[in-house]
């Protein structure tokens, strides 16, 4: 999935003196406070981290409460989808006007009817709404489907994605992967026939 990246960072984590007995736990607490929020310093939403303490020596900051800074080498998992990236998420709500998706369990995405390609038609099946492809009847989008969508925009403040299903390589992930495997299999068979002839 596009929009995910792993970044190496050298950080200084400032710890209250009362936490100096267990600085590793204090570092975990400080880094955990940054999770699932957009941070301009990291240029993305922090989804996970791993760190090692670079040195046992800490720099003490002068002031009313003398915090101390610990140097840390961290590996950060960041999410920052750009326009035209492709992301995947689970459909949680459908209507004739929109599809609502949760991406990575932390970001909401909405695809409005103007960004759903004309191939898909909204229908009611078994009392539930779904989008069915007119050209491939097995290509169905319903609640619970893993969906690949194109990012139109990403609001970093509320972690909201405006998405699109206009490109042909968007839709149900399982169906797209099956089509890709079948196309690859047909290409191999065609290549074998050419070699024999």
């Amino acid at each position: 999935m596009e929009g995910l990246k792993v970044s190496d960072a050298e950080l200084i984590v400032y710890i209250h003196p009362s936490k100096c007995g267990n600085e590793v736990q204090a570092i975990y607490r400080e880094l955990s406070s940054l999770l699932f929020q957009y941070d301009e310093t990291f240029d993305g939403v922090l989804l996970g981290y791993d760190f090692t303490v670079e040195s046992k020596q800490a720099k003490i900051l002068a002031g009313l409460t003398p915090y101390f800074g610990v140097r840390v080498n961290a590996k950060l998992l960041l999410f920052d989808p750009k326009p035209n990236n492709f992301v995947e998420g689970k459909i949680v709500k459908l209507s004739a006007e929109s599809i609502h998706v949760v991406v990575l369990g932390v970001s909401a995405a909405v695809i409005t009817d103007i960004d759903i390609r004309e191939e898909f038609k909204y229908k009611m099946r078994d009392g539930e709404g779904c989008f069915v492809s007119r050209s491939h009847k097995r290509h169905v989008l319903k609640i619970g489907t893993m969906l690949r969508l194109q990012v139109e925009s990403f609001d970093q403040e509320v972690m909201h994605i405006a998405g699109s299903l206009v490109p042909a390589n968007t839709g149900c992930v399982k169906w797209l992967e099956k089509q890709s495997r079948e196309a690859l299999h047909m290409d191999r068979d065609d290549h074998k026939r050419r070699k024999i002839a």
Side-chain angles (χ1 to χ4, degrees):
M1 176 169 32
E2 298 175 330
L4 278 176
K5 61 184 175 183
V6 176
S7 232
D8 292 319
E10 293 178 3
L11 307 171
I12 297 178
V13 179
Y14 297 102
I15 299 172
H16 191 275
S18 66
K19 308 291 183 197
C20 69
N22 193 347
E23 68 273 353
V24 173
Q25 185 180 15
I27 293 168
Y28 273 116
R29 185 168 287 132
E30 288 298 316
L31 291 177
S32 292
S33 70
L34 301 173
L35 286 172
F36 310 117
Q37 298 173 34
Y38 186 85
D39 192 306
E40 287 183 11
T41 307
F42 302 143
D43 192 27
V45 177
L46 182 62
L47 298 179
Y49 60 86
D50 188 23
F51 70 89
T52 55
V53 177
E54 187 178 300
S55 169
K56 292 290 182 186
Q57 296 179 347
K59 182 179 179 181
I60 297 173
L61 300 175
L64 225 53
T65 306
Y67 279 76
F68 61 96
V70 179
R71 289 191 178 277
V72 171
N73 288 328
K75 199 171 274 300
L76 309 173
L77 177 61
L78 302 167
F79 180 59
D80 187 29
K82 304 289 186 208
N84 298 325
N85 281 169
F86 291 94
V87 297
E88 296 173 3
K90 190 177 208 175
I91 297 176
V92 292
K93 184 180 175 187
L94 273 173
S95 71
E97 296 83 32
S98 63
I99 300 173
H100 299 261
V101 180
V102 173
V103 178
L104 294 172
V106 296
S107 183
V110 174
I111 304 157
T112 59
D113 56 350
I114 59 170
D115 290 316
I116 299 173
R117 64 182 178 269
E118 291 181 12
E119 169 190 342
F120 289 105
K121 182 175 177 154
Y122 184 78
K123 291 184 177 182
M124 291 299 286
R125 281 191 177 172
D126 301 323
E128 292 184 5
C130 62
F131 282 92
V132 181
S133 169
R134 292 178 184 169
S135 52
H136 303 283
K137 297 295 181 198
R138 294 183 182 244
H139 193 180
V140 179
L141 310 178
K142 58 185 179 181
I143 293 176
T145 300
M146 286 302 290
L147 185 72
R148 180 175 302 140
L149 60 124
Q150 184 180 38
V151 176
E152 293 290 311
S153 65
F154 179 55
D155 185 338
Q156 299 154 340
E157 217 169 277
V158 291
M159 292 179 41
H160 185 270
I161 296 171
S164 171
L165 287 178
V166 173
N169 60 339
T170 58
C172 174
V173 172
K174 281 185 180 179
W175 189 86
L176 292 168
E177 288 175 352
K178 184 178 178 189
Q179 292 301 109
S180 178
R181 283 193 303 269
E182 287 175 3
L184 181 64
H185 185 68
M186 287 175 33
D187 285 347
R188 285 182 188 160
D189 288 348
D190 191 40
H191 184 69
K192 285 178 185 176
R193 278 190 227 119
R194 284 190 211 150
K195 276 189 168 180
I196 292 171

